[in-house]
Amino acid sequence: MKLKTILTTAAIALGLATTAMAQDPTKVGFVYVGPVGDGGWTYEHNQARLAVEEEFGDKVETVFVESVPEGPDAERVMTQMALDGADLIFTTSFGYMDPTINVAKKFPDVKFEHATGYKRADNVSTYGARFYEGRAVQGHIAGSMTESNTVGYIGSYPIPEVIRGINSAFIHARKANPDVEFKIVWAYTWFDPAKEADAAKVLIEQGADVILQHTDSTAPHAAAQNAGGVITFGQASDMAEYKPKPRVSSIIDNWAPYYIERTRAVMEGTWESTDTWDGIGAGMVEIGEITDAVPEDVKAEALALKDRIGSGEYHPFTGPINKQDGSEWLAEGETAEDGTLLGMDFYVEGITGKIPQ
């Protein structure tokens, strides 16, 4: 009887332990390059994290570290997350690519998702959005509305993602207005309000009455507002506090559906290493409200362009398009291949200046 009691007690204990293990929440970590209050890139990633919590409730636990520099410190943060029991880690900036790969090798049972990169492994997926599709819409509005024919563009780093956006915006600004010129200032930061504000001021002093940005703060909007007569576009999030002007529209990164889907895959044991690059059609890139500061005909044209891109009827990189040196890149009716776009390291014809090395 005593043996039976012991065995029964052990079985109950084992069952309780198994139940407790089964109920352990899936732990999901997020590594952010900026603060969650940046109003742009990191803000939207954090909104997606909150959407994961809302979707799964107590079945998930999320953690995040914000303002993590790209480089060795990122590797340290990822390592600590993995040691702390994370099942899935989203690393949300291009410069986290090598640190993600390095840490993933040390923790083969942890799943990693790296944003905007191109290096994968059995436990590392890559994902990104076709921001260049939104840049095409912004470019049309910019080219249609500029009175000085000078559009300013604040670049973060001279990587393919940013170069693609500049080219797409320029192509469609030129289609709307053949006289438009782009002036580009490189801020060499994703998030630094002071540097971004200074870049906007320089561009405005050079005659730009439209400012586009591939940096994460709202500082360029404040600079444009103070200058008067300058329009801007939200980057990564709506930046709606500057509506209806200077901010006349925006590109919004909608990461929530992807984050929920990938978290569910980990929970269900179906996660596999994949590469995802979605745009307007899939809803990963959204166009924020085009305000009444934009003329009705321009707004209608921009929305029609958005719909054509979203349906797949039109590709923003459709020939004829030449490279900056005048050599042919895309023939009439030819569209760019993803491989070329992902590695884009050249300006298109008409853009002045050189890409920094």
Side-chain angles (χ1 to χ4, degrees):
M1 289 294 291
K2 287 183 178 179
L3 178 60
K4 183 177 180 180
T5 301
I6 291 171
L7 291 173
T8 301
T9 303
I12 292 171
L14 181 61
L16 289 172
T18 304
T19 301
M21 288 175 64
Q23 292 176 344
D24 280 349
T26 298
K27 191 168 185 177
V28 186
F30 298 80
V31 184
Y32 298 145
V33 73
V36 295
D38 70 354
W41 175 262
T42 294
Y43 170 82
E44 284 298 332
H45 283 283
N46 198 55
Q47 291 300 110
R49 179 187 67 83
L50 296 173
V52 169
E53 290 187 341
E54 183 176 355
E55 177 74 17
F56 297 110
D58 59 8
K59 294 180 181 178
V60 70
E61 175 191 353
T62 72
V63 295
F64 69 89
V65 180
E66 58 188 332
S67 300
V68 178
E70 296 172 323
D73 204 42
E75 193 163 329
R76 178 190 61 79
V77 169
M78 294 172 204
T79 298
Q80 191 60 54
M81 276 188 179
L83 289 171
D84 289 343
D87 302 293
L88 171 65
I89 299 175
F90 290 94
T91 62
T92 64
S93 191
F94 178 81
Y96 294 158
M97 181 164 59
D98 288 338
T100 300
I101 294 294
N102 293 341
V103 176
K105 289 177 182 176
K106 301 173 187 175
F107 297 92
D109 294 331
V110 179
K111 313 303 183 190
F112 293 81
E113 297 271 349
H114 177 236
T116 72
Y118 55 83
K119 294 183 179 180
R120 288 171 52 201
D122 288 345
N123 61 331
V124 180
S125 281
T126 52
Y127 66 99
R130 295 179 184 266
F131 308 118
Y132 67 86
E133 294 183 348
R135 299 287 181 208
V137 178
Q138 290 186 342
H140 179 82
I141 297 171
S144 301
M145 290 189 67
T146 178
E147 296 180 1
S148 66
N149 291 329
T150 300
V151 172
Y153 203 112
I154 304 171
S156 47
Y157 295 97
I159 60 174
E161 174 192 326
V162 181
I163 296 166
R164 276 196 305 273
I166 293 170
N167 283 334
S168 180
F170 178 78
I171 288 166
H172 293 85
R174 270 282 173 98
K175 286 186 176 183
N177 176 359
D179 296 323
V180 77
E181 302 287 343
F182 268 31
K183 292 187 180 294
I184 302 162
V185 171
W186 294 97
Y188 292 99
T189 183
W190 293 113
F191 176 81
D192 187 323
K195 285 184 178 180
E196 294 174 65
D198 287 345
K201 291 172 185 175
V202 166
L203 290 167
I204 292 167
E205 288 171 1
Q206 293 177 353
D209 59 358
V210 181
I211 301 291
L212 292 90
Q213 66 183 88
H214 202 134
T215 52
D216 298 344
S217 87
T218 59
H221 301 266
Q225 191 171 62
N226 290 336
V230 179
I231 67 169
T232 58
F233 295 84
Q235 154 64 14
S237 74
D238 202 28
M239 300 185 173
E241 61 267 38
Y242 288 95
K243 291 195 300 188
K245 196 176 180 182
R247 173 254 177 248
V248 297
S249 187
S250 59
I251 294 175
I252 302 171
D253 306 337
N254 181 17
W255 303 113
Y258 181 80
Y259 284 10
I260 290 169
E261 173 195 342
R262 300 303 280 168
T263 301
R264 180 176 285 113
V266 169
M267 288 176 164
E268 296 177 350
T270 59
W271 189 97
E272 293 182 349
S273 177
T274 61
D275 179 49
T276 300
W277 200 23
D278 286 334
I280 290 174
M284 191 174 272
V285 174
E286 298 177 349
I287 301 300
E289 177 196 358
I290 301 174
T291 72
D292 290 340
V294 178
E296 281 299 323
D297 60 333
V298 176
K299 182 188 295 190
E301 291 163 0
L303 291 174
L305 177 60
K306 170 198 164 189
D307 290 343
R308 290 175 63 212
I309 293 170
S311 69
E313 176 188 347
Y314 173 72
H315 191 297
F317 289 104
T318 300
I321 301 175
N322 292 338
K323 293 185 177 182
Q324 187 182 43
D325 61 7
S327 62
E328 183 182 86
W329 174 36
L330 297 173
E332 178 78 36
E334 184 182 5
T335 58
E337 296 180 349
D338 280 356
T340 303
L341 293 178
L342 287 166
M344 183 169 274
D345 60 356
F346 60 87
Y347 284 146
V348 295
E349 189 173 42
I351 296 179
T352 57
K354 294 182 178 180
I355 298 172
Q357 298 300 311

